[in-house]
Amino acid sequence: MSADGRAAGPPKAILFDAYGTLFDVYAVGTVAENMFPGRGEALAALWRDKQISYTWLREICANYMNFCSVTADALDFAAEALHLNLDARQRQALLDAYDYLPVFPDAAPALATLRAHKTPLAILSNGTPGMLSSLLGASGLADSFAAVLSVDRVGHFKTAAAAYQLGPDAFGVAPADLLFVSSNAWDACGALWFGYRVFWINRRALPFERVGVTPDGQGSSLSALVDWLA
Ligand code: LAC
């Protein structure tokens, strides 16, 4: 432990958020753009915002529903709010696209380098096991991870402690011995409050949330994480 009570030394495992951190959620904007020229980006942005706010709303109201259903509800809201007439075929095509989001180009090389250091890697995500399995299967990254932890097992979304507890339970170590990596600042805050060490992937050059916690490290890409750990 360091003087401030945080663990020192290399992490015993590294846990990654999935959506936005390893997989590009805004890529669905391209599919949407083909359906609604000029509106794809707006649909992708509102869809993601609503998806996350529904997880928070359901968590604070103790009304869990799996991330697959939340994602579909958020799409329906976003389309209606933007006055886009999504027919059943278009709706299904967008939901299918969510199962096969592209992996960020920095992910494969970073994960390969980290694996070579023999640190176990895992995913800790709001996604259901089915959603994560589709994403990983399509990405070619499945073998990179020692564990894929879905909050669906505990029926609580991040930032609930029960969701973050999946990490320490899986590896049998304290949260401070684990490094949590997310591009979602709210997720980084939740993980810091829970007690993880945290690296924030600041993909969109944003300021960090003003809520009284600071990530242990940050950078614009997963390659920056590799440099920071070295
Ligand atoms: C995840 C989303 C919330 O848990 O980014 O993967």
Coordinates of all heavy atoms in Angstrom, one line a residue, residues 16-23 25 48 51-52 55 67 98 123-127 132 135 149 151 157-158 180 182-184 186-187, ligand 1:
F16 N -11.6 -4.4 -18.2 CA -12.0 -3.4 -19.2 C -13.5 -3.3 -19.3 O -14.2 -4.3 -19.3 CB -11.4 -3.8 -20.6 CG -10.0 -3.8 -20.7 CD1 -9.2 -4.9 -20.3 CD2 -9.3 -2.7 -21.2 CE1 -7.8 -4.9 -20.4 CE2 -7.9 -2.6 -21.3 CZ -7.2 -3.7 -20.9
D17 N -13.9 -2.1 -19.3 CA -15.3 -1.8 -19.8 C -15.3 -2.2 -21.3 O -14.3 -2.2 -22.0 CB -15.6 -0.3 -19.6 CG -16.8 0.1 -20.3 OD1 -17.9 -0.3 -19.9 OD2 -16.7 0.9 -21.3
A18 N -16.5 -2.5 -21.8 CA -16.6 -3.0 -23.2 C -17.0 -1.8 -24.1 O -16.3 -1.4 -25.0 CB -17.6 -4.1 -23.3
Y19 N -18.2 -1.3 -23.9 CA -18.8 -0.4 -24.9 C -18.2 1.0 -24.8 O -18.2 1.6 -23.7 CB -20.3 -0.3 -24.7 CG -21.0 -1.6 -24.9 CD1 -21.3 -2.5 -23.9 CD2 -21.4 -2.0 -26.2 CE1 -22.0 -3.7 -24.1 CE2 -22.0 -3.2 -26.4 CZ -22.3 -4.0 -25.4 OH -22.9 -5.2 -25.6
G20 N -17.6 1.4 -25.9 CA -16.9 2.7 -25.9 C -15.5 2.7 -25.5 O -14.7 3.5 -25.8
T21 N -15.1 1.6 -24.8 CA -13.7 1.4 -24.4 C -13.0 0.5 -25.4 O -11.9 0.8 -25.9 CB -13.6 0.9 -23.0 OG1 -14.3 1.8 -22.1 CG2 -12.2 0.7 -22.5
L22 N -13.6 -0.7 -25.6 CA -13.0 -1.6 -26.6 C -13.7 -1.6 -27.9 O -13.2 -1.8 -29.0 CB -13.0 -3.0 -26.0 CG -12.3 -3.3 -24.7 CD1 -12.5 -4.7 -24.2 CD2 -10.8 -3.1 -25.0
F23 N -15.0 -1.3 -27.8 CA -15.9 -1.4 -29.0 C -16.5 0.0 -29.3 O -17.0 0.7 -28.3 CB -17.0 -2.4 -28.8 CG -16.5 -3.8 -28.6 CD1 -16.3 -4.3 -27.3 CD2 -16.1 -4.6 -29.7 CE1 -15.7 -5.6 -27.1 CE2 -15.5 -5.8 -29.5 CZ -15.4 -6.3 -28.2
V25 N -19.2 2.3 -30.0 CA -20.7 2.3 -30.0 C -21.2 3.3 -31.1 O -22.3 3.1 -31.6 CB -21.3 2.7 -28.6 CG1 -21.1 1.6 -27.6 CG2 -20.7 4.0 -28.1
R48 N -27.1 6.2 -27.4 CA -26.2 5.9 -26.4 C -26.5 6.6 -25.1 O -26.5 6.1 -24.0 CB -24.7 6.2 -26.9 CG -23.7 6.1 -25.8 CD -23.4 4.7 -25.4 NE -22.3 4.6 -24.5 CZ -21.9 3.5 -23.9 NH1 -22.6 2.4 -23.9 NH2 -20.8 3.4 -23.1
Q51 N -29.5 5.0 -23.5 CA -29.2 3.7 -23.0 C -28.5 3.8 -21.6 O -28.9 3.1 -20.7 CB -28.2 3.0 -24.0 CG -27.7 1.7 -23.6 CD -26.4 1.3 -24.4 OE1 -25.5 2.1 -24.5 NE2 -26.4 0.2 -25.0
I52 N -27.5 4.7 -21.5 CA -26.8 4.8 -20.2 C -27.7 5.4 -19.2 O -27.8 5.0 -18.0 CB -25.5 5.7 -20.4 CG1 -24.6 5.0 -21.3 CG2 -24.9 5.9 -19.0 CD1 -24.2 3.5 -20.9
T55 N -30.0 2.8 -17.7 CA -29.3 2.0 -16.7 C -29.3 2.7 -15.3 O -29.5 2.0 -14.3 CB -27.9 1.5 -17.1 OG1 -27.0 2.7 -17.2 CG2 -27.9 0.8 -18.4
F67 N -29.5 -5.4 -20.3 CA -28.9 -4.4 -21.1 C -29.4 -4.5 -22.6 O -29.5 -3.5 -23.3 CB -27.4 -4.5 -21.1 CG -26.7 -3.2 -21.5 CD1 -26.9 -2.0 -20.9 CD2 -25.8 -3.3 -22.6 CE1 -26.2 -0.9 -21.3 CE2 -25.1 -2.2 -23.0 CZ -25.3 -0.9 -22.4
Y98 N -25.5 -3.5 -33.3 CA -25.0 -3.3 -31.9 C -24.3 -4.6 -31.4 O -23.4 -4.5 -30.5 CB -26.1 -2.9 -30.9 CG -25.7 -1.9 -29.9 CD1 -25.8 -0.5 -30.2 CD2 -25.1 -2.3 -28.8 CE1 -25.4 0.4 -29.3 CE2 -24.6 -1.3 -27.9 CZ -24.7 0.0 -28.2 OH -24.3 0.9 -27.3
I123 N -13.1 -8.6 -19.0 CA -14.1 -7.6 -19.3 C -15.1 -7.5 -18.2 O -15.5 -8.5 -17.6 CB -14.8 -7.9 -20.6 CG1 -13.9 -7.7 -21.8 CG2 -16.1 -7.1 -20.8 CD1 -14.5 -7.9 -23.2
L124 N -15.5 -6.3 -17.8 CA -16.6 -6.1 -16.8 C -17.5 -5.1 -17.4 O -17.2 -3.9 -17.5 CB -16.0 -5.6 -15.5 CG -17.0 -5.2 -14.4 CD1 -18.1 -6.2 -14.2 CD2 -16.3 -4.9 -13.1
S125 N -18.7 -5.6 -17.8 CA -19.6 -4.8 -18.6 C -21.0 -5.0 -18.2 O -21.5 -6.0 -17.7 CB -19.4 -5.2 -20.1 OG -20.4 -4.6 -20.9
N126 N -21.8 -3.9 -18.6 CA -23.2 -4.0 -18.4 C -23.9 -4.9 -19.4 O -25.0 -5.3 -19.3 CB -23.8 -2.6 -18.6 CG -23.8 -1.7 -17.4 OD1 -23.5 -2.1 -16.3 ND2 -24.0 -0.4 -17.6
G127 N -23.2 -5.2 -20.5 CA -23.7 -6.0 -21.6 C -24.1 -7.4 -21.1 O -23.5 -7.9 -20.1
L132 N -22.1 -9.8 -25.2 CA -20.6 -9.7 -25.1 C -20.0 -10.9 -25.9 O -19.0 -10.7 -26.6 CB -20.2 -9.8 -23.7 CG -20.6 -8.6 -22.8 CD1 -20.3 -8.9 -21.3 CD2 -19.9 -7.3 -23.3
L135 N -20.1 -9.8 -29.6 CA -19.1 -8.8 -29.8 C -17.7 -9.4 -29.9 O -16.9 -9.2 -30.8 CB -19.0 -7.7 -28.7 CG -20.1 -6.6 -28.7 CD1 -19.8 -5.8 -27.5 CD2 -20.0 -5.8 -30.0
L149 N -17.0 -10.8 -17.5 CA -18.0 -10.6 -16.4 C -19.1 -9.7 -16.8 O -18.9 -8.5 -17.2 CB -17.2 -10.0 -15.2 CG -15.9 -10.7 -14.8 CD1 -15.2 -9.9 -13.7 CD2 -16.2 -12.2 -14.3
V151 N -22.7 -7.9 -15.7 CA -23.4 -7.5 -14.5 C -24.8 -8.2 -14.5 O -25.4 -8.2 -13.4 CB -23.7 -6.0 -14.5 CG1 -22.4 -5.2 -14.6 CG2 -24.6 -5.5 -15.6
F157 N -26.7 -2.7 -12.5 CA -25.8 -2.0 -13.5 C -24.7 -1.3 -12.7 O -24.9 -0.8 -11.6 CB -26.6 -1.0 -14.3 CG -27.6 -1.6 -15.3 CD1 -28.9 -1.5 -15.1 CD2 -27.1 -2.4 -16.3 CE1 -29.8 -2.0 -16.1 CE2 -28.0 -3.0 -17.3 CZ -29.3 -2.8 -17.1
K158 N -23.6 -1.1 -13.4 CA -22.6 -0.1 -13.0 C -23.3 1.2 -12.9 O -24.2 1.5 -13.8 CB -21.4 0.0 -13.9 CG -20.6 -1.4 -14.0 CD -19.4 -1.3 -14.9 CE -19.7 -1.3 -16.3 NZ -18.6 -1.3 -17.2
F180 N -9.0 -1.0 -13.3 CA -10.2 -0.9 -14.1 C -10.0 0.1 -15.2 O -9.5 1.3 -14.9 CB -11.4 -0.6 -13.3 CG -12.7 -0.6 -14.0 CD1 -13.4 -1.8 -14.3 CD2 -13.3 0.6 -14.4 CE1 -14.5 -1.8 -15.0 CE2 -14.5 0.6 -15.1 CZ -15.1 -0.6 -15.4
S182 N -11.7 2.3 -18.4 CA -13.0 2.6 -19.0 C -12.8 4.0 -19.8 O -12.1 4.8 -19.3 CB -14.1 2.7 -18.0 OG -15.4 3.0 -18.7
S183 N -13.5 4.1 -20.9 CA -13.6 5.4 -21.6 C -14.7 6.2 -21.1 O -14.8 7.4 -21.4 CB -13.7 5.2 -23.1 OG -15.0 4.6 -23.3
N184 N -15.6 5.6 -20.3 CA -16.8 6.3 -19.8 C -16.4 6.9 -18.5 O -16.2 6.2 -17.5 CB -17.9 5.3 -19.6 CG -18.3 4.7 -21.0 OD1 -18.8 5.4 -21.9 ND2 -18.1 3.4 -21.1
W186 N -18.2 8.4 -16.2 CA -19.0 8.0 -15.1 C -18.7 6.7 -14.5 O -18.7 6.4 -13.3 CB -20.5 8.1 -15.5 CG -20.8 7.1 -16.7 CD1 -20.8 7.4 -18.0 CD2 -21.2 5.7 -16.6 NE1 -21.1 6.3 -18.7 CE2 -21.4 5.3 -17.9 CE3 -21.4 4.8 -15.5 CZ2 -21.7 4.0 -18.2 CZ3 -21.7 3.5 -15.8 CH2 -21.9 3.1 -17.2
D187 N -18.3 5.8 -15.4 CA -17.9 4.4 -15.0 C -16.5 4.5 -14.3 O -16.3 3.8 -13.3 CB -17.7 3.6 -16.3 CG -17.6 2.1 -16.1 OD1 -17.9 1.6 -15.0 OD2 -17.3 1.4 -17.1
Ligands
LAC1 C1 -20.3 -1.3 -20.5 C2 -20.9 0.0 -21.0 C3 -21.7 0.7 -20.1 O1 -20.5 -1.6 -19.3 O2 -20.0 0.9 -21.5 O3 -19.6 -2.0 -21.3

